[in-house]
Amino acid sequence: MNYLLMIAGIVVIIIGFLLMTGGAPDNPAIFNPDEKYSFRRITLGPIVILIGLAIEFLSILVKARE
């Protein structure tokens, strides 16, 4: 049970990091703040990472069944 929770937490953390990544801009000479500072990158990604870390924390604290 604990290992499954750990794996789930790691997957959620990886999803959070993937949400924060972005592709290359169409034109590197033009700065587009809407792309760089989007809701997905600035808010949603870190929240998902924190949820993954909470799952990891719970996986450590949950007593294993025998």
Side-chain angles (χ1 to χ4, degrees):
M1 178 70 176
N2 294 52
Y3 290 117
L4 291 176
L5 281 173
M6 276 190 157
I7 291 171
I10 290 171
V11 168
V12 171
I13 291 171
I14 290 171
I15 290 170
F17 277 113
L18 290 175
L19 285 172
M20 288 195 306
T21 62
D26 296 332
N27 186 357
I30 299 172
F31 177 72
N32 186 359
D34 293 332
E35 261 182 34
K36 187 66 83 175
Y37 303 114
S38 68
F39 171 79
R40 178 181 59 97
R41 290 182 184 175
I42 298 297
T43 307
L44 186 62
I47 289 173
V48 171
I49 290 173
L50 288 176
I51 291 170
L53 290 173
I55 293 171
E56 290 292 322
F57 183 71
L58 288 175
S59 72
I60 293 170
L61 291 182
V62 170
K63 186 172 181 177
R65 296 183 210 165
E66 294 182 18

